[in-house]
Amino acid sequence: MAGHFEPQPGGGAAVTLDEVEISILRSLAVQLLELVGPGDEPGDGGSDDLLASVFNDGPSEPPADPVLARLFPDAYGGPDVVPDDDVRAASGEFRRYTENDLRARKRDDALVLIRSLDALSADPETGAVLRLEPGECRQWLGTLNDLRLAIGTRLDVTDEDDGGELLRLPDTDPRKPMVLAYLWLGGLQETLVESLMS
Protein backbone atom coordinates (compact mmCIF):
# COMPACT_ATOMS: atom_id res chain seq x y z
CA MET A 1 0.00 0.00 0.00
CA ALA A 2 3.07 2.25 0.02
CA GLY A 3 2.58 5.59 -1.68
CA HIS A 4 -0.90 5.08 -3.06
CA PHE A 5 -4.46 4.64 -1.84
CA GLU A 6 -6.10 1.23 -1.90
CA PRO A 7 -9.80 0.44 -1.47
CA GLN A 8 -11.03 -0.80 1.89
CA PRO A 9 -13.71 -3.42 2.51
CA GLY A 10 -17.03 -1.68 3.01
CA GLY A 11 -15.89 1.50 1.27
CA GLY A 12 -13.27 4.10 1.93
CA ALA A 13 -9.57 3.93 1.21
CA ALA A 14 -6.23 3.56 2.97
CA VAL A 15 -2.66 4.67 2.33
CA THR A 16 0.63 4.27 4.16
CA LEU A 17 2.37 7.58 4.82
CA ASP A 18 5.75 8.20 6.40
CA GLU A 19 6.54 11.10 8.73
CA VAL A 20 7.83 13.32 5.90
CA GLU A 21 4.73 12.73 3.75
CA ILE A 22 2.45 13.46 6.72
CA SER A 23 4.38 16.66 7.42
CA ILE A 24 4.26 17.80 3.79
CA LEU A 25 0.53 17.12 3.41
CA ARG A 26 -0.26 18.87 6.68
CA SER A 27 1.89 21.88 5.84
CA LEU A 28 0.30 22.27 2.40
CA ALA A 29 -3.21 21.98 3.86
CA VAL A 30 -2.43 24.62 6.50
CA GLN A 31 -1.12 26.93 3.75
CA LEU A 32 -4.33 26.31 1.80
CA LEU A 33 -6.38 27.27 4.88
CA GLU A 34 -4.38 30.49 5.20
CA LEU A 35 -4.87 31.25 1.51
CA VAL A 36 -8.62 30.59 1.52
CA GLY A 37 -8.99 32.77 4.59
CA PRO A 38 -10.68 32.53 7.96
CA GLY A 39 -14.30 31.63 8.35
CA ASP A 40 -16.94 33.88 9.81
CA GLU A 41 -16.95 34.23 13.56
CA PRO A 42 -19.43 31.75 14.99
CA GLY A 43 -22.42 33.31 16.62
CA ASP A 44 -24.45 32.09 19.54
CA GLY A 45 -26.36 29.70 17.30
CA GLY A 46 -29.62 31.66 17.41
CA SER A 47 -32.03 31.96 14.49
CA ASP A 48 -30.79 35.49 13.75
CA ASP A 49 -27.32 34.07 13.08
CA LEU A 50 -28.76 31.52 10.65
CA LEU A 51 -30.67 34.21 8.77
CA ALA A 52 -27.62 36.46 8.72
CA SER A 53 -25.49 33.66 7.25
CA VAL A 54 -28.07 32.98 4.53
CA PHE A 55 -28.13 36.62 3.48
CA ASN A 56 -24.42 37.29 3.98
CA ASP A 57 -23.25 38.41 0.55
CA GLY A 58 -19.83 37.43 -0.68
CA PRO A 59 -17.55 39.34 -3.03
CA SER A 60 -18.77 40.17 -6.53
CA GLU A 61 -15.31 40.62 -8.08
CA PRO A 62 -12.84 37.81 -8.76
CA PRO A 63 -9.79 37.60 -6.48
CA ALA A 64 -6.62 39.35 -7.65
CA ASP A 65 -4.37 36.46 -6.56
CA PRO A 66 -4.12 34.01 -9.50
CA VAL A 67 -4.32 31.00 -7.18
CA LEU A 68 -7.50 32.25 -5.53
CA ALA A 69 -8.89 33.11 -8.96
CA ARG A 70 -8.24 29.48 -9.97
CA LEU A 71 -9.82 28.12 -6.78
CA PHE A 72 -12.81 30.46 -7.13
CA PRO A 73 -13.24 30.86 -10.91
CA ASP A 74 -15.73 33.12 -12.62
CA ALA A 75 -19.00 31.55 -13.65
CA TYR A 76 -19.96 31.73 -17.32
CA GLY A 77 -16.33 31.96 -18.42
CA GLY A 78 -15.60 35.36 -16.92
CA PRO A 79 -14.83 38.62 -18.71
CA ASP A 80 -11.65 37.30 -20.34
CA VAL A 81 -13.62 34.61 -22.16
CA VAL A 82 -16.94 36.42 -22.66
CA PRO A 83 -16.46 40.21 -22.57
CA ASP A 84 -20.21 40.90 -22.39
CA ASP A 85 -21.48 43.28 -19.66
CA ASP A 86 -24.52 41.10 -18.94
CA VAL A 87 -22.31 38.03 -18.54
CA ARG A 88 -19.98 39.96 -16.22
CA ALA A 89 -22.93 41.10 -14.12
CA ALA A 90 -24.35 37.57 -13.93
CA SER A 91 -20.94 36.20 -13.04
CA GLY A 92 -20.60 38.78 -10.25
CA GLU A 93 -24.03 37.90 -8.87
CA PHE A 94 -23.21 34.19 -8.95
CA ARG A 95 -19.95 34.83 -7.07
CA ARG A 96 -21.72 37.03 -4.53
CA TYR A 97 -24.10 34.25 -3.52
CA THR A 98 -21.78 31.23 -3.78
CA GLU A 99 -18.20 32.14 -2.91
CA ASN A 100 -18.66 32.26 0.87
CA ASP A 101 -20.14 28.76 0.89
CA LEU A 102 -17.42 27.48 -1.42
CA ARG A 103 -14.73 28.95 0.83
CA ALA A 104 -16.37 27.34 3.88
CA ARG A 105 -16.45 23.95 2.15
CA LYS A 106 -12.79 24.22 1.16
CA ARG A 107 -11.89 25.11 4.76
CA ASP A 108 -13.93 22.20 6.12
CA ASP A 109 -12.33 19.75 3.68
CA ALA A 110 -8.81 20.94 4.51
CA LEU A 111 -9.54 20.65 8.24
CA VAL A 112 -10.66 17.03 7.77
CA LEU A 113 -7.33 16.29 6.07
CA ILE A 114 -5.34 18.01 8.83
CA ARG A 115 -7.25 16.32 11.65
CA SER A 116 -6.93 12.87 10.10
CA LEU A 117 -3.17 13.40 9.72
CA ASP A 118 -2.91 14.70 13.30
CA ALA A 119 -4.50 11.46 14.54
CA LEU A 120 -1.69 9.40 12.97
CA SER A 121 1.53 8.40 14.64
CA ALA A 122 4.02 7.17 12.07
CA ASP A 123 6.53 4.47 12.88
CA PRO A 124 9.92 5.72 11.60
CA GLU A 125 10.45 2.44 9.74
CA THR A 126 7.00 1.42 8.52
CA GLY A 127 5.05 4.67 8.45
CA ALA A 128 1.41 4.98 9.46
CA VAL A 129 -1.68 3.60 7.76
CA LEU A 130 -4.31 6.27 7.17
CA ARG A 131 -7.79 4.79 6.80
CA LEU A 132 -10.53 7.04 5.43
CA GLU A 133 -14.29 6.56 5.48
CA PRO A 134 -16.10 7.26 2.17
CA GLY A 135 -17.17 10.77 3.28
CA GLU A 136 -13.63 11.60 4.34
CA CYS A 137 -12.38 10.37 0.97
CA ARG A 138 -14.54 12.95 -0.81
CA GLN A 139 -13.20 15.70 1.45
CA TRP A 140 -9.63 14.52 0.89
CA LEU A 141 -10.26 14.54 -2.87
CA GLY A 142 -11.48 18.12 -2.67
CA THR A 143 -8.41 19.24 -0.76
CA LEU A 144 -5.95 17.27 -2.91
CA ASN A 145 -7.53 18.88 -5.98
CA ASP A 146 -7.32 22.37 -4.43
CA LEU A 147 -3.66 21.80 -3.51
CA ARG A 148 -2.82 20.69 -7.05
CA LEU A 149 -4.67 23.68 -8.53
CA ALA A 150 -2.81 26.05 -6.21
CA ILE A 151 0.61 24.55 -6.91
CA GLY A 152 -0.11 24.17 -10.62
CA THR A 153 -1.10 27.83 -10.84
CA ARG A 154 2.10 28.94 -9.12
CA LEU A 155 4.09 26.72 -11.51
CA ASP A 156 2.14 28.00 -14.56
CA VAL A 157 0.97 24.48 -15.43
CA THR A 158 -1.54 24.47 -18.28
CA ASP A 159 -4.12 21.84 -19.27
CA GLU A 160 -1.81 20.73 -22.08
CA ASP A 161 1.19 20.07 -19.78
CA ASP A 162 1.91 16.42 -19.09
CA GLY A 163 4.47 17.16 -16.36
CA GLY A 164 7.41 15.96 -18.49
CA GLU A 165 8.91 19.42 -18.94
CA LEU A 166 8.60 20.13 -15.23
CA LEU A 167 10.33 16.85 -14.38
CA ARG A 168 13.32 17.86 -16.50
CA LEU A 169 14.00 20.91 -14.33
CA PRO A 170 17.46 20.74 -12.78
CA ASP A 171 17.59 19.87 -9.09
CA THR A 172 18.98 23.35 -8.43
CA ASP A 173 15.78 24.99 -9.76
CA PRO A 174 13.83 26.42 -6.79
CA ARG A 175 10.58 25.14 -8.32
CA LYS A 176 11.71 21.49 -8.25
CA PRO A 177 10.31 20.65 -4.76
CA MET A 178 6.92 22.08 -5.72
CA VAL A 179 6.98 20.13 -8.99
CA LEU A 180 7.62 16.92 -7.07
CA ALA A 181 4.83 17.78 -4.62
CA TYR A 182 2.47 18.55 -7.53
CA LEU A 183 3.15 15.19 -9.19
CA TRP A 184 2.97 13.28 -5.89
CA LEU A 185 -0.38 14.88 -5.02
CA GLY A 186 -1.61 13.90 -8.48
CA GLY A 187 -0.69 10.28 -7.80
CA LEU A 188 -2.48 10.34 -4.45
CA GLN A 189 -5.53 11.92 -6.04
CA GLU A 190 -5.63 9.43 -8.90
CA THR A 191 -5.30 6.36 -6.66
CA LEU A 192 -7.93 7.73 -4.27
CA VAL A 193 -10.38 8.13 -7.16
CA GLU A 194 -9.57 4.60 -8.37
CA SER A 195 -10.10 3.25 -4.85
CA LEU A 196 -13.54 4.84 -4.64
CA MET A 197 -14.54 3.47 -8.05
CA SER A 198 -13.56 -0.13 -7.30
Side-chain angles (χ1 to χ4, degrees), residues 83-166:
D84 181 271
D85 287 341
D86 291 337
V87 172
R88 269 197 298 275
S91 190
E93 283 295 295
F94 184 82
R95 177 178 299 281
R96 200 170 118 212
Y97 294 115
T98 61
E99 187 170 312
N100 285 345
D101 289 339
L102 186 55
R103 282 181 185 264
R105 193 189 82 222
K106 289 180 184 301
R107 280 190 297 271
D108 291 345
D109 290 352
L111 284 171
V112 165
L113 185 146
I114 291 167
R115 289 178 181 139
S116 59
L117 292 173
D118 285 349
L120 292 177
S121 56
D123 181 291
E125 303 214 2
T126 61
V129 177
L130 171 70
R131 287 183 171 74
L132 300 175
E133 297 296 324
E136 293 173 313
C137 289
R138 285 186 284 284
Q139 291 177 294
W140 265 71
L141 277 174
T143 299
L144 290 173
N145 186 61
D146 289 343
L147 291 172
R148 289 193 77 237
L149 286 173
I151 293 170
T153 302
R154 292 284 190 240
L155 292 171
D156 291 324
V157 173
T158 64
D159 291 337
E160 293 78 34
D161 289 337
D162 64 358
E165 183 177 321
L166 291 172

Side-chain angles (χ1 to χ4, degrees), residues 50-67:
L50 177 61
L51 283 175
S53 69
V54 169
F55 294 105
N56 186 16
D57 289 350
S60 59
E61 294 296 321
D65 183 319
V67 172

